[in-house]
Amino acid sequence: MARPDGSLSSNRDPDAGADLVWRSINAIRALSMDAVEQAQSGHPGTPMALAPAGYLLWHRFLNHSPGNPGWPDRDRFVLSCGHASMLLYSLLYLSGYDLTLDDIRNFRQWGSRTPGHPERGHTPGVETTTGPLGQGFGNAVGMAIAERFLADRFNRAGHTIVDHRVWVFASDGDLMEGVASEAASLAGHLRLGKLTVVYDDNHITIDGDTALTFSEDVPRRFEAYGWHVLKVADGNDLGTISQAFETARSESSRPTLIVLRTVIADPAPTKRNSADAHGAPLGAEEVRRTKEIMGWPVEPKFHVPDDTLAHWRLTVRRGDELESAWTRRFEGYAAAYPDLAAEFRHWLSGALPEGWDRQVPEPGAGALATRQASGQALQSIAAAVPNLVGGSADLGGSTGTTLKQGGTFGPNTSGRTFHWGVREHGMAACLNGIAAHGGLRAFGSTFLVFSDYMKPAIRLAAIMRLPVIYIGTHDSIGLGEDGPTHQPVEHLAMLRAIPNLVTLRPADAAETVEAWKVAMERRDGPTMLVLTRQKLPALERLSGSATEGVRRGAYVVLQESGGAPEAIIIATGSEVTVAVAAGRRLQSEGVSTRVVSMPSWELFAAQPESYRDSVLPPSVRTRVAVEAAGPMGWSRWTTDEGAVVGMQGFGASAPGERLYQEFKLTPEHVAETVRQLRSRSSARQKESKPR
C-alpha cells in the first residue's frame, strides 16, 4: 500500500510493474499541476487525490474505445465534480482520445478544448457537461435508466448488444447538493445495478474542512436509499480499490457507492489535505517539491515519459478489441433479428419515424385546456414514436403525461412512463442523462411554477444542446384558487432568458398540436411547452395559419380592418383570446387593429427580418403586449412607445375568471390601453409640428 507521500505501493497491477503503474498515476498528477499552474486558474488537488482510482478505472475497468468515443455500448464515465476537470483531460489524453498535449497546455484558455469544466460536445470523450455540483450525479442516474430501458427493449437470449455500466466520480460537494439526494433516492428505488459512484471522501471544500458543515453518515444514508455501499480507507491502495471496482461490477440489483477516503493534493508537501489545494494553483515552489517527491522531472513541464505514455496507450488496443467484439455480436444479432437491429440503429440516430405525425388528431372546435390538448397530442405521438419516454413529478393526471401504452418504469419493469415523485430537480437532471446517453427522446412535466426547481438542469440542457422536452402546466393566474404560491408570474421571463431554450406558449388546441410537432422535430436544444389549466376557445384564424405561425413563432390571428394597421396587440397563450376580443372592439370603433399570436419569442426572433416586419411592421409604433406574467423583456416587441398589460406583482387566491378581472387582463382594459397610446402618440405628433 502507498504511503501518504506517494511512494510505491506493494499492490501490483497485473498489466505492469509497480514502478510503471505509479509513473502512470503520477503522470495524471504532473499534468494536472502543470496545467493549473500555467493557467493560474483551476483545481489541482482533487485530480491529484483521485489519480490512482482514475488510472485503475480507465486502464482496467472502464469499457471504452478511445478511437471511437461514440461506440454505443461503451461504459459512461461522469465526472460529477467538474472542477476536477484536469483529471478527466489527463485521462483522455493519456488514454489516446483525440486530445493533445497542446490542448492540455491551453487549459482554460480561449478556444481551447480543455475548458474550466467539462463540456459535452466540446471535448472528445466528455459524456456530459458538469460543474454545478450534483448535476453530473443526476445525469448518471438518467444514463443508467437509459441503459436498462434499451437493454430490456433490445437484448435477446444469446444476443446481448446493450450491456454497459455508468461510473461516476463525485465529491463531498456533490453529495451536499439536494439534486444528488433526489437522484440517489430514485436510483435506489429503481434498483439501478449498473450504476457505480466513487465518492471522493477527502473532507475538504473551498471554505475548509467539511466538518464546518457536513457531519452526516454518508454510507448509512446511501444504505437507507437502497444502495450497495463499499468503503476504501486509503485512496492510494490500488489493490483494495481494484477489489471494490470488481465487487461493484458484479453487483446487479443495487447501485453501488464506493466511499474512497483520499487526501486532497497528495503528495504535495505543504498543501496536501488543505483547502488551499481546492480552487487555486499550488504555486511554482510547491509544484517543484511535489514532483521531486514523486521522482518526476521538474522540467520540462507537461512531461510524460515514453514508456508511461506507451503503457497508457494500451487502452487504445483494449478499446479496439472491446468494440470489435461488440461489432461481431451486433452482426450476429442483426442476422437473427434484422428488424430489431434496424430499430436500434434508428433510435440511436435520433431521427423520427417516417410519418410519425400523421396520426396526431386535428383539434375540435370546442373549448379545451391546452394541457388537455397536449395530452391528446402526446398520446398520438407516443404511439408513433416508441422511444419517446417520460412522465411527471407526481402530477401525471394534471399534466396529462401518463402514457397509455408501454407500461411503467419501476424497480422491476422498464416501461415508458416515469414516475419521478416530488423530485423536480432530480427529474430534470435525469432527463439530461437520458438524452445524453442516446437512443431515447425524453420529456418531463410539472406545474410551470416548479420550473424554479428545474432551472439549473434546464440551463445545462440548453448548453449541451440536448433535445429534452419540458411540459409546464398551470401556467398563470388562470389556475385560480391555489393562489400566488402556485401562480407563475416571473417564470416566462426566466425561461426566455436562457439561451438555446425554445419556450412555446400556445393559445389554443391547434397551436398546442403544432407546438408538440416543433418540440419533437427540434434536435439541437430543449423545448418548454407552457400550458393552461383552464379551457380556452378555439381561435378563428386563416386556414393553415396555426401550423405556419407556430413554427415561425408569431403570426397574425386577426387582420386589421383598414388598409394598414394603426395598432397591434401581441399576446401569448390564454391571453390571445383576450387580445382578439380587444381587437374586435377597437375595429368596431374604426381603429384598424391587428392581433398577433406570439407563442415563441425565440422562434420569431430566428425568422428573417422580412417576415418579422410583415408581422410587426416597424412603422406601427402603437403596440400593446398582453400576457398574464411579468412584463420583463416585452419592450423588444412593443417598442419604447408601446405598453404591456400584464402582472405587476404576485397573484391571489380566487377563481381564475375573477383574477383576470381584478388584474385588468380584460378586453376592455387592453382596448383602453391602445386608446391611451394613440392619444399620447397624437399629442406627440402635434408637439413635433413646427409652429
Side-chain angles (χ1 to χ4, degrees):
M1 185 176 68
R3 295 189 294 273
D5 65 0
S7 58
L8 298 182
S9 169
S10 61
N11 299 298
R12 291 186 177 271
D13 187 308
D15 296 336
D19 288 348
L20 184 54
V21 167
W22 279 99
R23 282 201 303 278
S24 299
I25 291 167
N26 286 335
I28 299 171
R29 291 168 164 163
L31 289 174
S32 299
M33 286 189 292
D34 284 344
V36 172
E37 196 66 30
Q38 179 152 304
Q40 283 297 292
S41 175
H43 300 69
T46 300
M48 295 168 70
L50 286 174
Y55 163 79
L56 288 173
L57 179 61
W58 280 61
H59 201 69
R60 288 183 49 196
F61 290 92
L62 189 74
N63 290 340
H64 61 128
S65 179
N68 181 14
W71 168 39
D73 203 36
R74 68 193 182 277
D75 285 355
R76 269 58 168 182
F77 174 78
V78 175
L79 184 71
S80 192
C81 45
H83 54 271
S85 57
M86 267 313 305
L87 171 65
L88 180 52
Y89 300 147
S90 298
L91 291 167
L92 290 168
Y93 163 68
L94 293 167
S95 295
Y97 283 77
D98 182 21
L99 203 68
T100 67
L101 262 185
D102 283 340
D103 292 321
I104 301 291
R105 291 187 182 97
N106 288 324
F107 178 57
R108 289 186 167 224
Q109 304 308 300
W110 175 261
S112 77
R113 295 199 295 172
T114 50
H117 293 85
E119 297 180 22
R120 173 185 168 84
H122 189 76
T123 310
V126 172
E127 298 284 359
T128 185
T129 298
T130 57
L133 292 173
Q135 288 292 328
F137 192 115
N139 295 170
V141 174
M143 292 176 184
I145 287 171
E147 193 278 342
R148 198 177 88 190
F149 186 98
L150 293 170
D152 288 354
R153 171 78 178 192
F154 289 104
N155 290 345
R156 295 294 184 269
H159 295 277
T160 299
I161 61 166
V162 180
D163 183 16
H164 52 267
R165 302 189 63 81
V166 181
W167 301 85
V168 186
F169 280 3
S171 63
D172 291 295
D174 286 293
L175 299 194
M176 291 183 195
E177 289 284 3
V179 61
S181 298
E182 292 182 21
S185 171
L186 184 67
H189 169 72
L190 294 176
R191 304 182 68 81
L192 299 175
K194 290 186 178 178
L195 171 65
T196 298
V197 175
V198 178
Y199 164 36
D200 178 27
D201 182 23
N202 66 29
H203 293 199
I204 296 294
T205 60
I206 291 175
D207 278 353
D209 195 291
T210 53
L212 289 168
T213 59
F214 195 55
S215 55
E216 67 188 45
D217 190 329
V218 171
R220 291 180 66 187
R221 169 156 69 102
F222 274 76
E223 287 172 353
Y225 287 149
W227 285 56
H228 175 217
V229 177
L230 303 171
K231 297 179 183 179
V232 178
D234 183 349
N236 288 315
D237 185 345
L238 303 187
T240 305
I241 295 171
S242 294
Q243 184 178 359
F245 286 168
E246 287 281 11
T247 303
R249 195 161 59 176
S250 64
E251 173 63 43
S252 60
S253 63
R254 295 172 294 173
T256 297
L257 180 76
I258 300 174
V259 181
L260 180 66
R261 182 70 173 99
T262 67
V263 177
I264 196 168
D266 188 31
T270 68
K271 294 189 176 181
R272 64 187 297 276
N273 203 32
S274 164
D276 291 341
H278 190 289
L282 296 179
E285 178 61 17
E286 187 82 356
V287 171
R288 183 188 68 78
R289 293 179 62 190
T290 305
K291 287 183 176 180
E292 289 175 349
I293 290 170
M294 297 190 309
W296 204 265
V298 175
E299 295 291 343
K301 296 177 181 177
F302 304 99
H303 170 69
V304 180
D306 290 342
D307 64 340
T308 303
L309 188 59
H311 175 62
W312 265 109
R313 294 293 166 86
L314 293 174
T315 309
V316 176
R317 186 178 69 191
R318 175 174 173 268
D320 289 344
E321 292 171 353
L322 288 168
E323 185 181 356
S324 295
W326 178 85
T327 300
R328 290 191 295 272
R329 290 199 307 275
F330 187 80
E331 289 171 351
Y333 176 83
Y337 302 99
D339 291 344
L340 279 175
E343 184 179 49
F344 181 74
R345 294 189 190 98
H346 191 267
W347 283 24
L348 290 181
S349 76
L352 292 167
E354 184 178 353
W356 66 275
D357 57 346
R358 290 175 187 160
Q359 301 303 315
V360 180
E362 291 294 327
L368 196 66
T370 54
R371 62 170 175 152
Q372 294 173 309
S374 169
Q376 293 175 6
L378 171 59
Q379 299 298 339
S380 298
I381 293 170
V385 184
N387 62 333
L388 178 64
V389 301
S392 78
D394 200 48
L395 290 168
S398 292
T399 60
T401 52
T402 301
L403 299 181
K404 294 179 180 178
Q405 56 184 297
T408 297
F409 197 99
N412 302 303
T413 56
S414 296
R416 297 173 63 186
T417 293
F418 291 85
H419 295 283
W420 298 104
V422 188
R423 301 185 182 98
E424 292 89 353
H425 200 174
M427 172 181 73
C430 289
L431 291 173
N432 285 355
I434 292 172
H437 179 280
L440 301 176
R441 288 298 305 271
F443 68 88
S445 67
T446 185
F447 291 172
L448 182 63
V449 74
F450 300 133
S451 61
D452 283 333
Y453 293 133
M454 301 165 63
K455 162 64 162 53
I458 294 174
R459 182 175 185 271
L460 286 169
I463 290 174
M464 290 189 273
R465 312 184 77 82
L466 296 174
V468 179
I469 299 173
Y470 311 104
I471 300 156
T473 68
H474 297 60
D475 68 347
S476 72
I477 59 170
L479 70 89
E481 292 84 349
D482 276 337
T485 62
H486 282 54
Q487 293 166 2
V489 294
E490 74 276 26
H491 297 72
L492 283 169
M494 178 265 286
L495 294 167
R496 288 166 177 159
I498 301 174
N500 198 40
L501 172 68
V502 168
T503 300
L504 282 151
R505 188 171 186 240
D508 68 354
E511 283 195 6
T512 303
V513 169
E514 297 306 321
W516 258 108
K517 292 178 181 178
V518 169
M520 288 297 298
E521 291 170 359
R522 189 155 192 254
R523 297 278 296 274
D524 61 351
T527 304
M528 171 68 79
L529 303 180
V530 179
L531 308 171
T532 66
R533 174 181 185 265
Q534 71 274 27
K535 292 183 178 181
L536 302 179
L539 294 173
E540 296 180 13
R541 55 171 65 84
L542 300 174
S543 176
S545 60
T547 300
E548 180 72 9
V550 171
R551 291 178 179 278
R552 306 194 78 164
Y555 65 108
V556 178
V557 292
L558 181 66
Q559 196 72 41
E560 59 272 15
S561 51
E566 300 171 278
I568 301 175
I569 305 173
I570 315 165
T572 76
S574 47
E575 288 70 69
V576 174
T577 300
V578 174
V580 169
R584 288 187 172 133
R585 181 181 294 254
L586 289 164
Q587 287 183 358
S588 71
E589 298 170 5
V591 180
S592 183
T593 305
R594 172 181 290 189
V595 177
V596 170
S597 174
M598 187 180 283
S600 174
W601 290 13
E602 299 82 14
L603 295 179
F604 186 61
Q607 298 307 306
E609 183 179 11
S610 58
Y611 179 78
R612 297 198 307 270
D613 289 350
S614 73
V615 176
L616 301 176
S619 60
V620 183
R621 309 294 288 178
T622 300
R623 302 182 186 181
V624 174
V626 189
E627 189 170 66
M632 182 179 292
W634 267 111
S635 60
R636 178 180 186 183
W637 311 115
T638 61
T639 79
D640 55 2
E641 297 174 30
V644 182
V645 176
M647 297 294 295
Q648 301 300 323
F650 294 109
S653 179
E657 297 85 351
R658 178 66 180 270
L659 293 174
Y660 270 74
Q661 293 292 326
E662 294 293 337
F663 289 106
K664 296 185 177 180
L665 286 155
T666 63
E668 296 79 9
H669 182 65
V670 173
E672 179 57 27
T673 303
V674 171
R675 296 186 198 103
Q676 291 175 2
L677 287 179
R678 283 172 49 77
S679 178
R680 286 200 293 268
S681 176
S682 179
R684 283 196 300 269
Q685 290 174 3
K686 289 181 180 179
E687 291 175 1
S688 65
K689 289 182 179 180
R691 296 181 180 178

